[in-house]
């Protein structure tokens, strides 16, 4: 029986150094049937040239997680622009002549469309041209274990109602350690606009080594059955980045698909490498804005009202203390307030127009 085809989509935006380390780890995996699609989101740092130099074998990747493999270079790069990708213009016959670890598709977006929009370009291309059974969304600032995809597919294939699966995610480096957990799945606490995150900052001692059905898989690594995209749609590009994977998981679960955490699959994540760290104005503004967008889009009236009450009676003052007194960052708290205003504005527009139609 042939292994299901998996199209791996890696989004790059001004982060070629992270991307080539991620690629080098991907090209070492044991899974036999995959595509690598790098989507460049309008980078301005010569990422396209550097990724091609890596593929030619001209840049050696150093990592604490693996040894560089010169034996699968050069990797044939099939470079296409955003317009051709959207129209499905691609020489698949030539592409299929190369081994899975000797080929790469490189899609060049004109602009930065965020996590949601950038990945959607790659997803649309994969579904229309390559016809995969699954699409794997993988952050460029990750390193993967050799067996991670085999384990993810094994669990996904065990139940046709499983729509999205994800791995155990470690911090790439947590005070010098590589065994500190960042994510083992999450359940949503809808009335707070929050999630109950499992395994967060635990040292891994096997305590999260059970397969679990959950509400959410993190977008840094999620394997999605192709039927999910066809039935519930792609990422909602209004989110730009953050909460878009929560929204996708929520929609998939409402359609009856299971969301499953797979502990045997492992990756390491340089958390918030693209956005500039875990606490910064850009990230905080989008997180709160998008939590409101999610609430207006997906929650019923009563849950939405509970969320808004919690936001204004509790969260507003809680984060005042955290951002002003603990982090001593007025800019971050102002970004938090701006995010609330932006979320209320976009949420009201969406509820009145799109989501009630």
């Amino acid at each position: 029986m042939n292994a299901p085809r998996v199209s791996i989509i890696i989004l790059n935006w001004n982060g070629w150094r992270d991307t080539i380390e991620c690629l080098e780890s991907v090209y070492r995996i044991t899974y036999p049937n995959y595509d690598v699609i790098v989507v460049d989101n309008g980078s301005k740092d010569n990422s396209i040239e550097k990724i091609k130099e890596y593929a030619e074998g001209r840049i050696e990747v150093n990592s604490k997680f693996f040894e560089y493999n010169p034996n699968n270079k050069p990797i044939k790069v099939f470079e296409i622009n955003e317009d051709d990708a959207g129209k499905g213009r691609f020489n698949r016959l030539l592409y299929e002549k190369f081994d899975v670890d000797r080929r790469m598709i490189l899609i060049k977006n004109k602009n930065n469309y965020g996590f949601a929009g950038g990945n959607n370009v790659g997803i649309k291309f994969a579904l229309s041209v390559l016809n995969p059974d699954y699409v794997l969304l993988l952050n460029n600032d990750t390193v993967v274990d050799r067996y991670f995809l085999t384990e993810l597919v094994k669990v996904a294939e065990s139940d046709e109602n499983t729509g999205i699966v994800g791995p155990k995610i470690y911090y790439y480096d947590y005070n010098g350690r590589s065994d500190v957990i960042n994510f083992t799945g999450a359940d949503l606490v809808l009335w707070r606009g929050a999630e109950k995150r499992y395994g967060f900052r635990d040292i891994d001692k096997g305590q999260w080594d059970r397969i679990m059905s959950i509400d959410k898989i993190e977008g840094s690594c999620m394997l999605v059955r192709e039927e999910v995209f066809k039935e519930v749609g792609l990422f909602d590009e209004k989110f730009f980045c953050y909460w878009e994977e929560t929204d996708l998981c929520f929609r998939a679960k409402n359609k009856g698909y299971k969301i499953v955490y797979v502990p045997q699959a492992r990756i390491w994540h340089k958390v918030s490498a693209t956005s500039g760290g875990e606490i910064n104005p850009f990230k905080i503004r989008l997180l709160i804005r998008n939590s409101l967008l999610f609430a207006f889009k997906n929650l019923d009236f009563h849950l939405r009202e509970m969320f808004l009450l919690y936001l204004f009676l509790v969260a507003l003052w809680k984060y005042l203390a955290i951002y002003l007194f603990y982090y001593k960052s007025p800019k971050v708290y102002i970004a938090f307030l701006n995010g609330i205003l932006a979320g209320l504005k976009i949420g009201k527009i969406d509820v009145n127009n799109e989501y009630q139609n």
Side-chain angles (χ1 to χ4, degrees), residues 25-304:
S25 73
V26 166
Y27 283 120
R28 297 172 66 258
I29 64 176
T30 59
Y31 193 76
N33 190 13
Y34 65 90
D35 312 288
V36 173
I37 303 170
V38 177
V39 180
D40 184 76
N41 231 359
S43 293
K44 307 298 183 184
D45 69 340
N46 296 318
S47 279
I48 297 290
E49 291 74 15
K50 293 296 184 181
I51 291 168
K52 289 193 292 186
E53 286 179 23
Y54 156 77
E56 293 165 2
R58 294 163 54 196
I59 300 179
E60 184 172 321
V61 178
N62 296 309
S63 176
K64 63 180 180 179
F65 292 98
F66 55 78
E67 292 184 5
Y68 176 71
N69 178 18
N71 297 320
N72 66 345
K73 313 297 186 303
I75 296 166
K76 172 66 175 176
V77 176
F78 292 81
E79 185 177 348
I80 58 175
N81 61 44
E82 176 188 339
D83 292 335
D84 286 342
K87 295 174 182 175
R89 294 174 182 160
F90 184 70
N91 190 341
R92 182 170 176 177
L93 287 177
L94 177 60
Y95 171 79
E96 297 286 1
K97 292 180 180 179
F98 291 83
D99 293 338
V100 294
D101 64 343
R102 302 297 292 267
R103 66 190 187 189
M104 178 198 306
I105 299 167
L106 180 56
I107 300 175
K108 300 179 295 183
N109 284 349
K110 299 172 186 175
N111 298 298
N112 178 13
Y113 303 126
F115 183 92
N119 274 307
N120 279 352
V121 171
I123 296 167
K124 291 173 187 175
F125 172 82
L127 295 179
S128 64
V129 175
L130 302 174
N131 307 117
D133 301 287
Y134 296 91
V135 172
L136 179 83
L137 288 311
L138 183 66
N139 267 29
N140 73 314
D141 60 342
T142 61
V143 170
V144 302
D145 179 73
R146 294 184 67 203
Y147 306 100
F148 92 110
L149 189 52
T150 298
E151 297 294 339
L152 290 176
V153 172
K154 183 193 304 181
V155 171
E157 285 288 283
S158 68
D159 184 348
E160 63 181 11
N161 290 322
T162 296
I164 302 175
V165 298
K168 180 187 291 183
I169 303 175
Y170 298 95
Y171 284 94
Y172 181 94
D173 189 322
Y174 192 90
N175 295 329
R177 303 188 66 131
S178 302
D179 61 348
V180 178
I181 295 170
N182 176 253
F183 189 80
T184 61
D187 285 326
L188 299 180
V189 186
L190 295 174
W191 65 271
R192 287 179 51 199
E195 62 185 45
K196 182 181 180 182
R197 190 182 184 103
Y198 300 117
F200 185 58
R201 293 182 179 171
D202 286 352
I203 295 174
D204 187 14
K205 298 179 180 178
Q207 68 272 45
W208 296 104
D209 280 357
R210 65 187 185 279
I211 294 173
M212 297 188 297
S213 291
I214 50 178
D215 288 339
K216 174 193 170 179
I217 293 296
E218 192 176 81
S220 59
C221 183
M222 57 195 312
L223 182 74
V224 185
R225 191 181 294 272
E226 61 93 19
E227 289 96 331
V228 170
F229 288 123
K230 292 181 177 178
E231 187 169 352
V232 309
L234 308 187
F235 289 120
D236 185 339
E237 296 182 15
K238 294 185 186 70
F239 287 97
F240 192 75
C241 62
Y242 306 120
W243 279 85
E244 67 286 292
E245 82 270 39
T246 307
D247 176 69
L248 180 67
C249 289
F250 187 85
R251 288 185 279 134
K253 197 163 186 178
N254 279 350
K255 287 289 187 179
Y257 287 103
K258 295 177 183 177
I259 316 297
V260 179
Y261 155 70
V262 183
Q264 293 78 17
R266 302 181 303 154
I267 73 164
W268 290 262
H269 185 199
K270 302 170 187 174
V271 177
S272 299
T274 300
S275 60
E278 293 192 63
I279 302 296
N280 68 82
F282 173 80
K283 179 176 180 178
I284 297 304
R285 180 183 182 278
L286 278 178
L287 280 171
I288 188 61
R289 186 201 78 139
N290 290 351
S291 70
L292 281 155
L293 174 56
F294 176 88
F296 280 112
K297 177 181 176 182
N298 293 305
L299 304 188
D300 62 28
F301 174 80
H302 295 290
L303 271 175
R304 192 164 64 241

